[in-house]
Amino acid sequence: MLDLRPVGYVIGLLVAILGAAMFLPMLADLAEGRGEWHVFLESAVITILTGGILALSCANGVRAGLTIQQTFLLTTGVWLALPFFGALPFVFGETELRFVDAFFEAMSGLTTTGSTVIGGLDELPRGLLLWRGLLQWLGGIGIIVVAMVFLPELRVGGMQIFRSEGFDTFGKILPRATEISSRISGVYITLTMICALCYAASGMSAFDASVHAMTTVATGGFANYDASFGAFSGAAEYVAVLFMLLAALPFVRFVQLTAGTARPLMEDTQIRAFLATALALVTVLTLWNWSQSPEVGEPAFRKTLFNTVSLLTGTGYASQDYMQWGSFPITMLFIVGLIGGCAGSTACSIKIFRYQLLFASIRAQLQRIRSPNGIFTPRYAGRPVGSDVLSSVMSFFVFFIVTMGLVSWGLALTGLDFITSVSGAAAALANIGPGLGDQIGPAGNFAGLNDSAKWMLSAAMLIGRLELLAVYAIFTIQFWRA
């Protein structure tokens, strides 16, 4: 019989840690003096007690490693439990959101999607704004650990090719997760602090710099203003671009860099492909905007650079309503959001390495067609790629397309138009943030959607953030028979 105690123990600990994090926005509210501090105190007490009781009740089942079944359940269970408790401050606080809206907001935060249902951000208490930033920051570091420890172990979406990227986790998931988390945390915190200092130097207030640094390094995109990053301009946009790009690179390379080894960072084919893609997209869209708009020169380049990198990395900030750029840029930006950053980063979507493996497989197949007697093996980073990796990647692409189609169909059944349905499904599944159109585009938010649509999008965020197959596996009969 499947032993759920190790799963419950870890989930309980993480829920308690989330509750402890609520004391930070409580202090921010106390300092602001708007009387909202009790919201986080109440939420923290509920969350810590629930998480602590769950962990204590399951403590007698803890062991050194987890089975494959337990690991699948843990990865999905964590991302279900944390948004449930992360939603409490939105329910009890000044926003007074209904639970469906609060859960949507918390899920969007922890999956670093960046879609929001909250309007009037400019007037919210600082505690709630800080809580939104903390949700994304915690979700960002959490997904790095999942991508580097759990998904390679579970052979999800081709991630198994990264099992030897600096860490050997086979059979030691819990102990190695602790070690990897500690080493990544140092890099993650340092990068966030440097980003905050750079934002402050660009003219942001200390509070704005801190919150936006958390949501930038997490590639989450929650901002403190309804205008998103349109509330800032100039140097702040260039700072955001730099740190969005850094956060979209594999964090294991930063760990290796701090250990005095720069060669893996410089020679990583995934990083080269990602940066080349970003350069090509920015160049094409900048030239287009210069040819079509009276605004040329540095301001037009800056807006194009910022919004393209924001969507490519899945951050979701918007410094301008790019729905006004024309049909070609809108189509391009929709495609950009489905590319994503590097594996092992906070970036989301399909990821660059899967496209590299897809093209390598297509190239090998074309060579076989031209030379039937030849032996052609797809290669990645100079190494031959096994059939299990290619099969996993192809399965991921198929599941992604099918899931996006099903979610789009479900959203359309709730009464949403075609553009809103398709772009909303893509934005949630790829964890991009804004969709297209007047309602959920960069100038709008998701508040006006019906409850059914919000639940579907919340589920899509979870499925997309955990690379689809990690969630789908637990719904198979074979999984429970194993």
Side-chain angles (χ1 to χ4, degrees):
M1 184 176 177
L2 178 61
D3 186 2
L4 296 178
R5 289 176 299 174
V7 177
Y9 177 75
V10 176
I11 292 177
L13 284 181
L14 293 176
V15 167
I17 291 171
L18 182 73
M22 294 177 182
F23 289 116
L24 290 175
M26 184 191 78
L27 294 175
D29 273 333
L30 277 171
E32 190 179 18
R34 289 180 58 167
E36 289 290 305
W37 61 270
H38 63 88
V39 169
F40 289 99
L41 179 61
E42 295 164 4
S43 301
V45 170
I46 295 172
T47 305
I48 293 172
L49 284 178
T50 305
I53 291 171
L54 178 60
L56 287 173
S57 64
C58 297
N60 61 340
V62 176
R63 56 188 185 187
L66 294 176
T67 66
I68 292 297
Q69 284 177 301
Q70 291 168 337
T71 306
F72 272 110
L73 289 172
L74 176 61
T75 53
T76 303
V78 167
W79 255 262
L80 279 174
L82 295 184
F84 181 89
F85 291 97
L88 295 181
F90 299 122
V91 175
F92 299 151
E94 188 173 302
T95 51
E96 295 183 343
L97 296 180
R98 295 177 304 125
F99 185 76
V100 58
D101 292 313
F103 186 84
F104 180 98
E105 192 78 9
M107 179 66 80
S108 178
L110 283 162
T111 58
T112 69
T113 302
S115 305
T116 185
V117 296
I118 300 178
L121 293 171
D122 307 53
E123 306 301 324
L124 281 187
R126 285 191 168 187
L128 281 174
L129 294 175
L130 178 58
W131 182 237
R132 294 170 81 243
L134 276 171
L135 284 176
Q136 291 206 320
W137 192 77
L138 293 171
I141 193 171
I143 202 60
I144 296 174
V145 175
V146 168
M148 294 183 63
V149 180
F150 296 98
L151 298 183
E153 186 74 20
L154 301 177
R155 300 176 177 268
V156 168
M159 290 292 293
Q160 58 264 44
I161 65 174
F162 299 108
R163 284 178 64 176
S164 61
E165 290 292 309
F167 303 101
D168 175 24
T169 63
F170 184 72
K172 309 173 185 177
I173 290 180
L174 284 180
R176 298 300 286 175
T178 303
E179 179 184 343
I180 294 171
S181 299
S182 63
R183 294 171 66 178
I184 288 176
S185 296
V187 174
Y188 194 73
I189 293 171
T190 301
L191 203 58
T192 305
M193 292 175 63
I194 295 173
C195 182
L197 291 174
C198 290
Y199 273 144
S202 71
M204 283 190 187
S205 67
F207 180 77
D208 283 340
S210 300
V211 174
H212 286 86
M214 288 189 284
T215 59
T216 299
V217 174
T219 60
F222 273 164
N224 289 344
Y225 303 93
D226 288 332
S228 187
F229 226 82
F232 312 101
S233 62
E237 290 175 281
Y238 287 116
V239 171
V241 167
L242 172 62
F243 284 93
M244 285 189 288
L245 289 173
L246 290 174
L249 303 184
F251 269 68
V252 66
R253 301 304 182 203
F254 295 134
V255 173
Q256 292 168 332
L257 184 64
T258 58
T261 308
R263 185 173 179 180
L265 177 68
M266 304 302 295
E267 296 182 353
D268 193 318
T269 58
Q270 186 182 195
I271 293 176
R272 291 180 179 180
F274 170 70
L275 295 178
T277 300
L279 178 61
L281 291 169
V282 170
T283 301
V284 170
L285 288 173
T286 298
L287 293 175
W288 172 269
N289 284 339
W290 278 348
S291 68
Q292 301 294 317
S293 172
E295 184 182 29
V296 295
E298 188 273 338
F301 165 74
R302 174 166 31 89
K303 298 297 181 185
T304 305
L305 171 68
F306 179 89
N307 289 283
T308 303
V309 170
S310 178
L311 289 177
L312 177 63
T313 59
T315 306
Y317 287 140
S319 64
Q320 193 175 62
D321 185 5
Y322 45 76
M323 292 298 298
Q324 307 302 318
W325 289 2
S327 56
F328 174 73
I330 291 174
T331 304
M332 284 286 292
L333 290 172
F334 178 79
I335 296 172
V336 164
L338 299 179
I339 297 175
C342 301
S345 70
T346 60
C348 53
S349 198
I350 293 175
K351 304 288 195 312
I352 283 288
F353 86 94
R354 291 195 178 98
Y355 287 101
Q356 291 177 282
L357 290 172
L358 175 65
F359 294 146
S361 179
I362 293 173
R363 183 167 55 250
Q365 186 60 35
L366 291 174
Q367 290 173 328
R368 292 189 194 102
I369 293 173
R370 292 196 302 266
S371 305
N373 296 323
I375 299 176
F376 304 99
T377 303
R379 306 182 75 84
Y380 177 82
R383 296 175 295 173
V385 180
S387 59
D388 63 323
V389 174
L390 292 177
S391 175
S392 185
V393 169
M394 299 308 169
S395 298
F396 180 90
F397 274 104
V398 171
F399 273 99
F400 189 93
I401 294 170
V402 171
T403 303
M404 194 173 86
L406 289 174
V407 175
S408 300
W409 178 62
L411 293 174
L413 288 178
T414 69
L416 300 180
D417 62 85
F418 177 78
I419 295 296
T420 303
S421 299
V422 174
S423 67
L429 193 61
N431 306 118
I432 303 168
L436 300 178
D438 296 331
Q439 188 171 12
I440 62 172
N445 64 33
F446 289 70
L449 302 186
N450 55 74
D451 289 356
S452 298
K454 290 171 184 172
W455 284 121
M456 277 189 278
L457 291 173
S458 296
M461 292 179 208
L462 169 67
I463 293 169
R465 186 75 272 192
L466 295 182
E467 310 279 3
L468 288 82
L469 301 176
V471 179
Y472 288 147
I474 65 176
F475 292 101
T476 62
I477 296 176
Q478 292 81 1
F479 173 83
W480 296 101
R481 285 179 177 174

